[in-house]
mmCIF file of all heavy atoms in Angstrom:
data_model
loop_
_atom_site.group_PDB
_atom_site.id
_atom_site.type_symbol
_atom_site.label_atom_id
_atom_site.label_comp_id
_atom_site.label_asym_id
_atom_site.label_seq_id
_atom_site.Cartn_x
_atom_site.Cartn_y
_atom_site.Cartn_z
ATOM 1 N N LEU A 33 156.333 99.442 51.481
ATOM 2 C CA LEU A 33 156.382 97.988 51.311
ATOM 3 C C LEU A 33 154.989 97.431 51.028
ATOM 4 O O LEU A 33 154.814 96.585 50.154
ATOM 5 C CB LEU A 33 156.972 97.336 52.561
ATOM 6 C CG LEU A 33 157.024 95.831 52.579
ATOM 7 C CD1 LEU A 33 158.138 95.342 51.665
ATOM 8 C CD2 LEU A 33 157.240 95.319 53.980
ATOM 9 N N TYR A 34 153.992 97.938 51.749
ATOM 10 C CA TYR A 34 152.626 97.461 51.552
ATOM 11 C C TYR A 34 152.149 97.745 50.129
ATOM 12 O O TYR A 34 151.613 96.863 49.457
ATOM 13 C CB TYR A 34 151.686 98.117 52.570
ATOM 14 C CG TYR A 34 150.243 97.737 52.365
ATOM 15 C CD1 TYR A 34 149.765 96.501 52.763
ATOM 16 C CD2 TYR A 34 149.356 98.610 51.741
ATOM 17 C CE1 TYR A 34 148.455 96.139 52.570
ATOM 18 C CE2 TYR A 34 148.035 98.258 51.536
ATOM 19 C CZ TYR A 34 147.588 97.024 51.948
ATOM 20 O OH TYR A 34 146.286 96.666 51.737
ATOM 21 N N PHE A 35 152.313 98.977 49.671
ATOM 22 C CA PHE A 35 151.777 99.340 48.352
ATOM 23 C C PHE A 35 152.591 98.790 47.190
ATOM 24 O O PHE A 35 152.060 98.616 46.092
ATOM 25 C CB PHE A 35 151.646 100.859 48.233
ATOM 26 C CG PHE A 35 150.457 101.392 48.965
ATOM 27 C CD1 PHE A 35 150.615 102.092 50.150
ATOM 28 C CD2 PHE A 35 149.181 101.164 48.497
ATOM 29 C CE1 PHE A 35 149.504 102.578 50.835
ATOM 30 C CE2 PHE A 35 148.069 101.642 49.173
ATOM 31 C CZ PHE A 35 148.240 102.352 50.351
ATOM 32 N N LEU A 36 153.870 98.493 47.388
ATOM 33 C CA LEU A 36 154.685 97.988 46.282
ATOM 34 C C LEU A 36 154.787 96.469 46.239
ATOM 35 O O LEU A 36 155.026 95.905 45.171
ATOM 36 C CB LEU A 36 156.095 98.583 46.356
ATOM 37 C CG LEU A 36 156.190 100.077 46.062
ATOM 38 C CD1 LEU A 36 157.632 100.540 46.189
ATOM 39 C CD2 LEU A 36 155.652 100.395 44.682
ATOM 40 N N MET A 37 154.610 95.796 47.381
ATOM 41 C CA MET A 37 154.807 94.348 47.384
ATOM 42 C C MET A 37 153.603 93.569 47.896
ATOM 43 O O MET A 37 153.147 92.633 47.230
ATOM 44 C CB MET A 37 156.033 93.992 48.222
ATOM 45 C CG MET A 37 157.326 94.516 47.639
ATOM 46 S SD MET A 37 158.739 94.078 48.638
ATOM 47 C CE MET A 37 158.839 92.336 48.326
ATOM 48 N N ILE A 38 153.085 93.893 49.042
ATOM 49 C CA ILE A 38 152.037 93.086 49.673
ATOM 50 C C ILE A 38 150.714 93.203 48.927
ATOM 51 O O ILE A 38 150.087 92.195 48.594
ATOM 52 C CB ILE A 38 151.876 93.480 51.155
ATOM 53 C CG1 ILE A 38 153.178 93.186 51.909
ATOM 54 C CG2 ILE A 38 150.711 92.740 51.787
ATOM 55 C CD1 ILE A 38 153.215 93.727 53.313
ATOM 56 N N ARG A 39 150.267 94.410 48.637
ATOM 57 C CA ARG A 39 148.982 94.609 47.971
ATOM 58 C C ARG A 39 148.924 93.981 46.576
ATOM 59 O O ARG A 39 147.953 93.280 46.254
ATOM 60 C CB ARG A 39 148.674 96.103 47.920
ATOM 61 C CG ARG A 39 147.290 96.420 47.462
ATOM 62 C CD ARG A 39 146.982 97.889 47.709
ATOM 63 N NE ARG A 39 145.688 98.225 47.185
ATOM 64 C CZ ARG A 39 145.489 99.128 46.236
ATOM 65 N NH1 ARG A 39 146.495 99.796 45.737
ATOM 66 N NH2 ARG A 39 144.276 99.372 45.800
ATOM 67 N N PRO A 40 149.940 94.179 45.707
ATOM 68 C CA PRO A 40 149.885 93.515 44.392
ATOM 69 C C PRO A 40 149.887 91.988 44.491
ATOM 70 O O PRO A 40 149.212 91.313 43.714
ATOM 71 C CB PRO A 40 151.141 94.018 43.683
ATOM 72 C CG PRO A 40 151.477 95.292 44.351
ATOM 73 C CD PRO A 40 151.052 95.123 45.769
ATOM 74 N N GLN A 41 150.627 91.441 45.470
ATOM 75 C CA GLN A 41 150.656 89.985 45.643
ATOM 76 C C GLN A 41 149.285 89.468 46.058
ATOM 77 O O GLN A 41 148.836 88.432 45.572
ATOM 78 C CB GLN A 41 151.715 89.608 46.684
ATOM 79 C CG GLN A 41 151.850 88.125 46.898
ATOM 80 C CD GLN A 41 152.356 87.403 45.677
ATOM 81 O OE1 GLN A 41 153.053 87.961 44.852
ATOM 82 N NE2 GLN A 41 151.995 86.136 45.557
ATOM 83 N N MET A 42 148.612 90.181 46.940
ATOM 84 C CA MET A 42 147.272 89.772 47.363
ATOM 85 C C MET A 42 146.288 89.854 46.190
ATOM 86 O O MET A 42 145.412 88.999 46.045
ATOM 87 C CB MET A 42 146.802 90.654 48.522
ATOM 88 C CG MET A 42 147.530 90.387 49.817
ATOM 89 S SD MET A 42 147.169 91.554 51.136
ATOM 90 C CE MET A 42 145.410 91.509 51.226
ATOM 91 N N LYS A 43 146.448 90.856 45.342
ATOM 92 C CA LYS A 43 145.572 91.002 44.179
ATOM 93 C C LYS A 43 145.774 89.846 43.200
ATOM 94 O O LYS A 43 144.811 89.283 42.675
ATOM 95 C CB LYS A 43 145.851 92.340 43.499
ATOM 96 C CG LYS A 43 144.926 92.649 42.369
ATOM 97 C CD LYS A 43 145.214 94.005 41.770
ATOM 98 C CE LYS A 43 144.322 94.287 40.585
ATOM 99 N NZ LYS A 43 144.644 95.557 39.939
ATOM 100 N N ARG A 44 147.054 89.478 42.947
ATOM 101 C CA ARG A 44 147.319 88.346 42.050
ATOM 102 C C ARG A 44 146.773 87.044 42.616
ATOM 103 O O ARG A 44 146.227 86.216 41.868
ATOM 104 C CB ARG A 44 148.828 88.212 41.812
ATOM 105 C CG ARG A 44 149.353 89.145 40.751
ATOM 106 C CD ARG A 44 150.766 88.779 40.345
ATOM 107 N NE ARG A 44 151.704 88.887 41.451
ATOM 108 C CZ ARG A 44 152.396 89.980 41.764
ATOM 109 N NH1 ARG A 44 152.256 91.067 41.048
ATOM 110 N NH2 ARG A 44 153.232 89.981 42.784
ATOM 111 N N ALA A 45 146.900 86.840 43.914
ATOM 112 C CA ALA A 45 146.377 85.617 44.538
ATOM 113 C C ALA A 45 144.860 85.565 44.418
ATOM 114 O O ALA A 45 144.287 84.494 44.163
ATOM 115 C CB ALA A 45 146.807 85.558 45.997
ATOM 116 N N LYS A 46 144.193 86.695 44.576
ATOM 117 C CA LYS A 46 142.737 86.738 44.449
ATOM 118 C C LYS A 46 142.311 86.424 43.014
ATOM 119 O O LYS A 46 141.369 85.658 42.784
ATOM 120 C CB LYS A 46 142.223 88.115 44.858
ATOM 121 C CG LYS A 46 140.728 88.256 44.791
ATOM 122 C CD LYS A 46 140.293 89.642 45.206
ATOM 123 C CE LYS A 46 138.802 89.815 45.061
ATOM 124 N NZ LYS A 46 138.378 91.188 45.380
ATOM 125 N N GLU A 47 143.004 86.984 42.032
ATOM 126 C CA GLU A 47 142.689 86.709 40.628
ATOM 127 C C GLU A 47 142.905 85.239 40.293
ATOM 128 O O GLU A 47 142.104 84.628 39.572
ATOM 129 C CB GLU A 47 143.542 87.583 39.714
ATOM 130 C CG GLU A 47 143.174 89.045 39.747
ATOM 131 C CD GLU A 47 144.157 89.926 39.003
ATOM 132 O OE1 GLU A 47 145.205 89.415 38.529
ATOM 133 O OE2 GLU A 47 143.889 91.133 38.894
ATOM 134 N N GLN A 48 143.985 84.634 40.810
ATOM 135 C CA GLN A 48 144.272 83.221 40.581
ATOM 136 C C GLN A 48 143.175 82.346 41.187
ATOM 137 O O GLN A 48 142.713 81.396 40.571
ATOM 138 C CB GLN A 48 145.643 82.860 41.173
ATOM 139 C CG GLN A 48 146.065 81.429 40.953
ATOM 140 C CD GLN A 48 146.497 81.138 39.533
ATOM 141 O OE1 GLN A 48 146.686 82.039 38.725
ATOM 142 N NE2 GLN A 48 146.655 79.891 39.224
ATOM 143 N N ARG A 49 142.739 82.683 42.405
ATOM 144 C CA ARG A 49 141.689 81.930 43.080
ATOM 145 C C ARG A 49 140.381 82.007 42.290
ATOM 146 O O ARG A 49 139.686 81.008 42.107
ATOM 147 C CB ARG A 49 141.520 82.506 44.491
ATOM 148 C CG ARG A 49 140.933 81.600 45.487
ATOM 149 C CD ARG A 49 140.974 82.105 46.921
ATOM 150 N NE ARG A 49 140.879 83.546 47.108
ATOM 151 C CZ ARG A 49 141.900 84.336 47.465
ATOM 152 N NH1 ARG A 49 143.090 83.825 47.670
ATOM 153 N NH2 ARG A 49 141.721 85.635 47.631
ATOM 154 N N GLN A 50 140.041 83.203 41.775
ATOM 155 C CA GLN A 50 138.820 83.366 40.984
ATOM 156 C C GLN A 50 138.902 82.580 39.680
ATOM 157 O O GLN A 50 137.913 81.990 39.239
ATOM 158 C CB GLN A 50 138.569 84.843 40.691
ATOM 159 C CG GLN A 50 138.130 85.635 41.890
ATOM 160 C CD GLN A 50 138.019 87.126 41.593
ATOM 161 O OE1 GLN A 50 138.544 87.609 40.602
ATOM 162 N NE2 GLN A 50 137.336 87.848 42.463
ATOM 163 N N MET A 51 140.078 82.563 39.054
ATOM 164 C CA MET A 51 140.250 81.823 37.802
ATOM 165 C C MET A 51 140.059 80.325 38.040
ATOM 166 O O MET A 51 139.383 79.644 37.270
ATOM 167 C CB MET A 51 141.640 82.101 37.217
ATOM 168 C CG MET A 51 141.886 81.501 35.844
ATOM 169 S SD MET A 51 142.650 79.874 35.795
ATOM 170 C CE MET A 51 144.162 80.110 36.657
ATOM 171 N N ILE A 52 140.618 79.810 39.122
ATOM 172 C CA ILE A 52 140.492 78.376 39.414
ATOM 173 C C ILE A 52 139.038 78.019 39.718
ATOM 174 O O ILE A 52 138.549 76.970 39.304
ATOM 175 C CB ILE A 52 141.441 77.985 40.568
ATOM 176 C CG1 ILE A 52 142.883 78.012 40.052
ATOM 177 C CG2 ILE A 52 141.102 76.615 41.131
ATOM 178 C CD1 ILE A 52 143.931 77.793 41.115
ATOM 179 N N GLU A 53 138.330 78.895 40.427
ATOM 180 C CA GLU A 53 136.927 78.621 40.741
ATOM 181 C C GLU A 53 136.033 78.665 39.500
ATOM 182 O O GLU A 53 134.999 78.024 39.468
ATOM 183 C CB GLU A 53 136.423 79.632 41.773
ATOM 184 C CG GLU A 53 137.017 79.440 43.148
ATOM 185 C CD GLU A 53 136.651 80.563 44.109
ATOM 186 O OE1 GLU A 53 135.954 81.515 43.685
ATOM 187 O OE2 GLU A 53 137.073 80.494 45.271
ATOM 188 N N SER A 54 136.436 79.402 38.472
ATOM 189 C CA SER A 54 135.596 79.542 37.285
ATOM 190 C C SER A 54 135.915 78.539 36.180
ATOM 191 O O SER A 54 135.350 78.638 35.097
ATOM 192 C CB SER A 54 135.715 80.964 36.726
ATOM 193 O OG SER A 54 136.997 81.165 36.170
ATOM 194 N N LEU A 55 136.810 77.588 36.431
ATOM 195 C CA LEU A 55 137.154 76.595 35.408
ATOM 196 C C LEU A 55 135.942 75.748 35.052
ATOM 197 O O LEU A 55 135.143 75.386 35.914
ATOM 198 C CB LEU A 55 138.292 75.694 35.896
ATOM 199 C CG LEU A 55 139.664 76.343 36.027
ATOM 200 C CD1 LEU A 55 140.655 75.362 36.642
ATOM 201 C CD2 LEU A 55 140.165 76.850 34.705
ATOM 202 N N GLN A 56 135.827 75.423 33.764
ATOM 203 C CA GLN A 56 134.713 74.616 33.271
ATOM 204 C C GLN A 56 135.242 73.535 32.343
ATOM 205 O O GLN A 56 136.361 73.618 31.839
ATOM 206 C CB GLN A 56 133.724 75.482 32.500
ATOM 207 C CG GLN A 56 133.105 76.582 33.294
ATOM 208 C CD GLN A 56 132.221 77.464 32.421
ATOM 209 O OE1 GLN A 56 132.051 77.221 31.224
ATOM 210 N NE2 GLN A 56 131.647 78.495 33.026
ATOM 211 N N LYS A 57 134.410 72.544 32.122
ATOM 212 C CA LYS A 57 134.740 71.487 31.170
ATOM 213 C C LYS A 57 134.899 72.111 29.783
ATOM 214 O O LYS A 57 134.090 72.925 29.361
ATOM 215 C CB LYS A 57 133.628 70.435 31.160
ATOM 216 C CG LYS A 57 133.923 69.234 30.333
ATOM 217 C CD LYS A 57 132.802 68.218 30.452
ATOM 218 C CE LYS A 57 133.046 67.065 29.514
ATOM 219 N NZ LYS A 57 131.977 66.076 29.578
ATOM 220 N N GLY A 58 135.986 71.758 29.082
ATOM 221 C CA GLY A 58 136.247 72.280 27.751
ATOM 222 C C GLY A 58 137.232 73.436 27.738
ATOM 223 O O GLY A 58 137.714 73.821 26.678
#
Side-chain angles (χ1 to χ4, degrees):
L33 177 75
Y34 176 77
F35 283 107
L36 291 179
M37 295 180 71
I38 297 171
R39 189 169 176 241
Q41 182 65 27
M42 289 172 54
K43 185 178 177 184
R44 278 192 298 270
K46 181 180 177 184
E47 290 171 355
Q48 182 74 11
R49 203 171 32 253
Q50 288 174 344
M51 186 267 302
I52 288 174
E53 290 172 358
S54 70
L55 291 175
Q56 299 175 2
K57 186 177 175 181

